[in-house]
Amino acid sequence: MFFVRSASSKDIAAIREVLAQTWHATYAPFYGAAKVEEIIADWHSEAAVKAALARPDGEFLVADDGNQIGGVAFASHATGTHVVSLHQLYVRPECQGLGIGRDLFAEIETCFPGAQSLTLEVDPGNEPAIAFYQAHGMKETGRTDNCGKSQSGIPALIMTKSLAG
């Protein structure tokens, strides 16, 4: 059984492993293995994970069963707004379907008191993720040609959900 907790610097290697496995399983069919390796090396490097963990406006969660990290979620609150951005929600491929994504998503929703909306970007070809987010109240509100980073060249749907905050 997995429980959700805040991530720490001791989790960096396991977080990177979840991100790499999930990106290979999900995105290699879209972008090819070489492009996925390039993205992992940039977006999910040790330095990138450390920076996310250190963000004072962020919350980095892991789903842990005592033996492994089954999933990760990272969100941040944009200063001066009531908007939370969900940057990462990934579940290790062999752990998908166990409720880990649901639990991580539910916890992220509670981490930012006063937030009025949650937004995220998702690849338009990632139908399982889109269905997951729709089942959790997210609606498509836009599109971008540069997911994650400026000039990434990766298209994404922008999805938003109102929060009670």
Side-chain angles (χ1 to χ4, degrees):
M1 179 159 166
F2 288 87
F3 62 95
V4 175
R5 64 172 174 79
S6 292
S8 77
S9 60
K10 291 184 249 179
D11 298 315
I12 291 172
I15 289 167
R16 293 189 66 230
E17 183 180 309
V18 170
L19 294 170
Q21 286 182 5
T22 306
W23 265 77
H24 278 291
T26 305
Y27 295 111
F30 300 132
Y31 304 121
K35 179 69 173 177
V36 168
E37 277 299 320
E38 178 184 317
I39 291 169
I40 290 168
D42 181 19
W43 293 6
H44 308 311
S45 67
E46 183 175 343
V49 174
K50 282 182 179 179
L53 283 168
R55 282 184 65 167
D57 64 345
E59 185 66 43
F60 208 126
L61 304 173
V62 294
D64 186 344
D65 73 355
N67 294 313
Q68 71 173 336
I69 301 298
V72 302
F74 171 64
S76 67
H77 179 251
T79 306
T81 74
H82 296 286
V83 179
V84 171
S85 296
L86 180 61
H87 304 285
Q88 298 174 328
L89 177 61
Y90 296 106
V91 176
R92 191 183 294 272
E94 68 270 17
C95 296
Q96 292 175 3
L98 302 176
I100 292 170
R102 175 201 64 218
D103 293 347
L104 287 165
F105 189 85
E107 187 66 24
I108 283 291
E109 287 183 294
T110 70
C111 288
F112 301 91
Q116 294 177 356
S117 66
L118 176 68
T119 187
L120 60 86
E121 297 175 347
V122 61
D123 189 295
N126 191 347
E127 293 176 9
I130 293 167
F132 171 86
Y133 292 128
Q134 288 173 333
H136 290 85
M138 305 291 296
K139 296 188 181 346
E140 182 179 340
T141 55
R143 292 179 178 251
T144 180
D145 293 328
N146 293 298
C147 180
K149 295 189 175 217
S150 64
Q151 307 307 313
S152 70
I154 298 172
L157 301 178
I158 300 169
M159 300 183 79
T160 305
K161 176 181 183 175
S162 292
L163 300 175

